[in-house]
Amino acid sequence: MMGMQQEPQSNLFYVGINIDKRVRENHFLRRVKQLIDFDFSYEEVKDLYGDNGNVSVPPPVILKLMLLLVLYNVRSERELIDTVPERIDWLWFLGYDLDSEIPNHSVLSKARNKWGVEIFQSFFERIVLQCMEAGLIDGRKIFIDSSLVDANASNNSVLDTKSLRHQLHKNYKKLEARLEDSSESVDSSRRYEKKNSRYISSTDPDAAIVNRGKPKLSYQVHRAVDRQSEIITAAEATPGDVNEAHMMLSLIEKHQTTTGVKAETVVADSKYGTIENFLTCYDRGIQAHIPDLREAAVKRTAQREIFLEDRFWYDSDTDTYRCPAGNLLKAKSLHMDRQSRDYAAPKKVCAVCQLKEQCTKNKSGRTIKRHLRQDELDRMREASRSSKSKVDIKIRQHLMERSFARGTRYGFDRARWRGLWRMRIQECLTCAIQNIHVLIKHLTTPKKSIEARVLAVKTVFMEVSSPLIVEISGAFCGQRCH
Ligand code: SF4
């Protein structure tokens, strides 16, 4: 006989309900609650609260709410708080009961303003340390990349500060007042001074216009990812117009501070292949598996159909170059700003040279630029063209794309809030969640199953001699293949 659903009658009292039993054993939040310490926040923020007055929502609860916001990619804090009473798993995770009073959504923004970035940075670093203790980080080889993030502001809010028409606009006056106000009242760690201050968004002055097919207000997130299990060991956020190459050293240092392991190899794409980065790696004894940015300049020279620089032979004893026509190019002007020296043959020699058409389009003759540390630079560039480096560069592309693609589940590609320091909070939370996922998977997957996967990959690739495929298989299974 078919059952008929009766109109439900709500009970006046529910007896014997155990909220803990309503959350399944393998629920992700149960694992998070078991493994991640949120109580550290009491100690971190205790100096920011007074001894009397209104009792605040406990800091671990606020931190958990922020985690839920990003983990479930909830659109707004208001929506998050509205959803909490409807979700038994969230109530349980937060330590609430069915009839507990849920805090107002404004506690989250108030706590952020009170706490700043530091506590979220600590949270991220603590997760990295846990991953380290679980043996998920090797630390000696890191992959670096950046990705643009849409700012939480409309392009219509951008004002040209040099245009008189815009200066008369009512939003401009508001912006000026806000910038003056923020420069006085906001502490220095949350203040950012724009390099390009001509075009400023009146709603998010820290975001920068970046041309991505069409101009967009953007931030940029930078990450260092460890090779072994793809744990993010260092993260940073900047306005979108910051040159990512300038962030390499900061990421290397953060990686070392957090993990306590010195990176021996850095892998990145050609945007990081600048002279400064090669020399920074040289000074620190780090191998730079980075395509040379100069290759693009070499291609341009080839397109102009003139002799490439490798046709000019350098003699270190006399500090001169010898050109393809056999003439000497002597040291001329020194450019301290770019740490290089120009070498050229006398003008009259080039003027009558039979190879001039193939050598230069310049009327006054050919000039060769040599960096003051050219020998070190050449050594680093040579190493960046090795077969090992090529393998790493190929792996980097997929590994970093995976890291950012996983971040899109948590809305990393759109800023939730306005202001650079809030963008940093968002990135810390996103990276912490991505690492928690790897940590939980590692700790809850039976060891036998991991070994079986590694063995299967080894067997498949045993007969394959290409180191590239073996390396990729290692990255795929998230384990080191020996
Ligand atoms: S143009 Fe000048 S630098 Fe070039 S090959 Fe002739 S002499 Fe040498």
Side-chain angles (χ1 to χ4, degrees), residues 144-146 244 267-273 289-291 393 396:
I144 285 176
D145 203 358
S146 70
E244 57 263 63
V267 189
D269 66 21
S270 61
K271 284 173 284 172
Y272 294 83
H289 289 179
I290 307 172
I393 289 164
R396 184 210 68 82

Side-chain angles (χ1 to χ4, degrees), residues 144-158:
I144 285 176
D145 203 358
S146 70
S147 181
L148 287 166
V149 173
D150 291 345
N152 190 355
S154 158
N155 277 1
N156 296 336
S157 66
V158 176

